[in-house]
Amino acid sequence: MKEWIKSSFRNRVFITVLLVTLLPMLLCDIFIMQISMVLSRRQLRQQAAVELSQIERRLDEAYAGVAATTGDLAASTVVRSALRRGGSDSKLLYQVLYRKTSGLRDYAGFDVYDAAGRRCYTSAAGIVDEQLPLYWGPLRQAEQSEGLCLQAGTDGGLTMTRSVRASNGNVLGFIFVRVSQTDFNSLLHGSFSPDNDIFLVDATWRRIYGSDNIRAEEKISALREQLLAGEQLSGSGGEYSFYLRSRPESGFTLILQQPKVYSSQVTSTIYSTCFMMGFLCLALSLLCAWLLSRYLSKPVNELDAAMGRVEKGDYDVELTSDRSDEMGRLTSSFNRMTREYRQNLEYSVQRERELNELQLSMMQAQLNPHFLYNTLDSLKWLGVTNHVPRVAAMATNLAALLRAGISGGRFITLEQELELLEKYLDIQSMRFEDRFTWETDVDERFQHCIVPKLILQPLVENAIIHGVANMDDGYIKLSAREESGRLVLSVQDNGAGIPGEILDCLNSPEREMPAGHLGLRNADRIVRLYYGGEYGISASSEPGRGSCVMLTLPMEQKTEEEEGNA
């Protein structure tokens, strides 16, 4: 996979776009769902804790009120007297009963039983004869205890019983308190959410109260089985959360049933929806990543293919693009680069062709100098034999020039070039009968500079023929200087000067040179072909006061080792 990603720019773009588009959506989807579920559960737990606290507070307040009232009734002399005399003080007892149970009758019913277990007095609307057994049940529990006894009713509800005793300890009767399902509803009304259910069970998990009266037994039974099995309480369907609070003073347990916001069915639906959304996000991300990577990588692939063709030698490749962004500019740069490369290649081929043609012409020109060299050698010895030294000297110098032209390499030192030039000037001085003089001003540090062979001869010849040939006091000066790291050789004369048309041609090599200046043109072409367009011949002139032709060459020096090898 790693190699596949690295193998292509398009693959990198595809993976990057896929991760950038897909991961945030999936992470947001997962995190939002998880955070939502966690926050909902936390909020529900807090709500359950608040509701349980409210219910406990109401139960504690009710229990405290019942305990205090039953204690007062059990200690009341009116109640004791009425039970001892069998009902003669019933009117007075009812007054005490109603006064003592004020505020409690909304959620509790108070009865007074005699020692035989018969109900004698009640806070209800009418007296219904009832006989409770003394050998078991709440009366038996109260007879054996002096405090308030709590017990679950046979059909639900809660009974609280306290015995009424004489001063000698004998049981005179019982204060019996009933709290039915309806009474619990009144007591706990508004203390918990209508979506929740409340169950109150005794120590054996018998139902005392259930807000869902219809399914209370079923739910409590399922909870009892899970509790005995050591399982987490979840009810019969697993759709609820249960919170338990134990009542130490009574041994009862308070249970709050709270429906889960995310039930198993809802959770399954959410996960299914998230899976579908994730699948759709994946498909959408894949499509977007593929389209975007294709759009971004297309010009890159085209450019890569074009560069491959260039590497194989196809320099005519041209890319077309209507984009104005970075890729469009890169395409334009590539096209410009190939065009410039083709132009440079064509220029190099043309330059090589011109060099080859020039070398061919020089080789053809060397055929006659061989014959002339042999003839001049014979002429020299003929002048010596006939005692004509000027003829012999001229023939010797001309032979040296011809020998230098047809032998050796293309480049020599400036020192050697000046020696050849001196022989040429000697010949021209004899020819023009010493009507001009010359001077060489070249510093020693320039003597070892490399120059093309016989490159100065055309410049001096131009100064003689077109400058001082018709003068009796002609003057030619050859000098050398360094300028911006380049060697500048100057041939200066005091002749008539260079006409403006010729001067423009010398300073603009692109223009054709007029007839009679072929030597300067060839010298300029040779220098430019060897070294480049920034080198060559330039000139300046003042009419009637002379001219100066300058040859610019690179500053290349020959080492002593190279001179020794030469």
Side-chain angles (χ1 to χ4, degrees), residues 357-537:
E357 292 175 355
L358 188 58
Q359 291 174 359
L360 180 60
S361 299
M362 294 176 64
M363 291 176 63
Q364 292 173 348
Q366 288 175 358
L367 296 177
N368 289 332
H370 279 287
F371 170 74
L372 291 174
Y373 172 73
N374 294 329
T375 303
L376 287 172
D377 189 56
S378 300
L379 182 61
K380 179 189 75 170
W381 289 111
L382 183 62
V384 172
T385 303
N386 293 281
H387 306 286
V388 186
R390 291 177 66 87
V391 174
M394 183 179 292
T396 299
N397 290 334
L398 184 56
L401 290 173
L402 290 174
R403 187 186 300 111
I406 64 176
S407 62
R410 300 178 183 178
F411 299 91
I412 58 177
T413 63
L414 181 58
E415 182 180 12
Q416 296 170 332
E417 177 72 8
L418 292 177
E419 291 175 358
L420 295 174
L421 187 61
E422 186 174 357
K423 297 181 184 298
Y424 174 75
L425 286 169
D426 286 339
I427 295 174
Q428 292 290 19
S429 179
M430 295 178 193
R431 174 187 173 190
F432 290 98
E433 300 177 350
D434 297 325
R435 290 199 302 271
F436 69 88
T437 59
W438 74 87
E439 178 187 1
T440 301
D441 181 16
V442 178
D443 192 86
E444 179 66 25
R445 65 191 183 99
F446 300 127
Q447 296 290 337
H448 298 287
C449 291
I450 304 300
V451 297
K453 187 168 55 178
L454 296 176
I455 196 65
L456 293 177
Q457 185 266 338
L459 280 66
V460 175
E461 181 182 14
N462 181 77
I464 295 173
I465 296 176
H466 299 285
V468 300
N470 300 322
M471 298 176 63
D472 294 331
D473 57 349
Y475 172 76
I476 297 175
K477 180 180 180 181
L478 176 64
S479 61
R481 71 179 186 275
E482 182 180 357
E483 186 176 293
S484 301
R486 300 177 182 180
L487 176 63
V488 180
L489 301 175
S490 303
V491 177
Q492 187 175 358
D493 64 77
N494 62 344
I498 303 175
E501 180 182 357
I502 305 301
L503 189 64
D504 291 340
C505 291
L506 289 174
N507 293 323
S508 300
E510 291 78 9
R511 297 178 59 181
E512 284 292 332
M513 293 288 290
H517 295 274
L518 184 60
L520 289 179
R521 179 188 178 190
N522 287 341
D524 183 69
R525 288 182 62 197
I526 289 174
V527 171
R528 290 179 180 272
L529 287 174
Y530 278 143
Y531 302 117
E534 65 269 22
Y535 300 97
I537 291 177

Side-chain angles (χ1 to χ4, degrees), residues 222-243:
L223 292 176
R224 184 189 300 113
E225 293 178 0
Q226 291 177 352
L227 186 65
L228 294 175
E231 300 175 358
Q232 184 178 2
L233 299 182
S234 59
S236 57
E239 307 298 329
Y240 301 93
S241 297
F242 292 89
Y243 304 91

Side-chain angles (χ1 to χ4, degrees), residues 132-141 151 154:
L132 294 179
L134 296 176
Y135 51 87
W136 66 277
L139 298 187
R140 178 64 176 175
Q141 185 180 12
Q151 193 177 62
T154 54

Side-chain angles (χ1 to χ4, degrees), residues 205-268:
W205 277 69
R206 289 189 305 165
R207 177 174 64 91
I208 296 175
Y209 168 72
S211 57
D212 183 6
N213 194 36
I214 299 177
R215 300 180 56 192
E217 292 294 342
E218 177 185 347
K219 293 180 179 180
I220 293 174
S221 176
L223 292 176
R224 184 189 300 113
E225 293 178 0
Q226 291 177 352
L227 186 65
L228 294 175
E231 300 175 358
Q232 184 178 2
L233 299 182
S234 59
S236 57
E239 307 298 329
Y240 301 93
S241 297
F242 292 89
Y243 304 91
L244 280 65
R245 292 281 181 89
S246 298
R247 310 298 300 159
E249 69 279 0
S250 62
F252 296 164
T253 301
L254 179 63
I255 304 171
L256 173 67
Q257 174 186 283
Q258 187 180 58
K260 296 180 179 179
V261 176
Y262 297 99
S263 62
S264 58
Q265 182 177 0
V266 173
T267 304
S268 176

Side-chain angles (χ1 to χ4, degrees), residues 157-230:
L158 177 66
T159 61
M160 291 177 283
T161 312
R162 183 187 292 270
S163 61
V164 180
R165 297 178 182 272
S167 57
N168 59 2
N170 294 331
V171 176
L172 299 177
F174 304 92
I175 306 297
F176 192 86
V177 182
R178 302 174 188 266
V179 183
S180 64
Q181 293 286 326
T182 303
D183 295 333
F184 271 109
N185 289 336
S186 300
L187 176 64
L188 301 179
H189 178 73
S191 60
F192 58 93
S193 171
D195 296 329
N196 300 337
D197 283 317
I198 292 295
F199 303 102
L200 184 63
V201 296
D202 63 7
T204 60
W205 277 69
R206 289 189 305 165
R207 177 174 64 91
I208 296 175
Y209 168 72
S211 57
D212 183 6
N213 194 36
I214 299 177
R215 300 180 56 192
E217 292 294 342
E218 177 185 347
K219 293 180 179 180
I220 293 174
S221 176
L223 292 176
R224 184 189 300 113
E225 293 178 0
Q226 291 177 352
L227 186 65
L228 294 175

Side-chain angles (χ1 to χ4, degrees), residues 14-25:
F14 176 79
I15 292 298
T16 302
V17 175
L18 180 62
L19 294 177
V20 169
T21 56
L22 181 61
L23 286 181
M25 288 189 290

Side-chain angles (χ1 to χ4, degrees), residues 1-40:
M1 182 65 177
K2 185 177 180 180
E3 295 298 327
W4 178 79
I5 295 175
K6 290 183 176 181
S7 63
S8 171
F9 172 75
R10 179 176 180 178
N11 296 342
R12 293 184 180 183
V13 174
F14 176 79
I15 292 298
T16 302
V17 175
L18 180 62
L19 294 177
V20 169
T21 56
L22 181 61
L23 286 181
M25 288 189 290
L26 292 180
L27 292 177
C28 288
D29 189 15
I30 295 173
F31 283 148
I32 289 176
M33 183 184 69
Q34 293 297 328
I35 291 174
S36 175
M37 294 177 68
V38 170
L39 292 178
S40 298

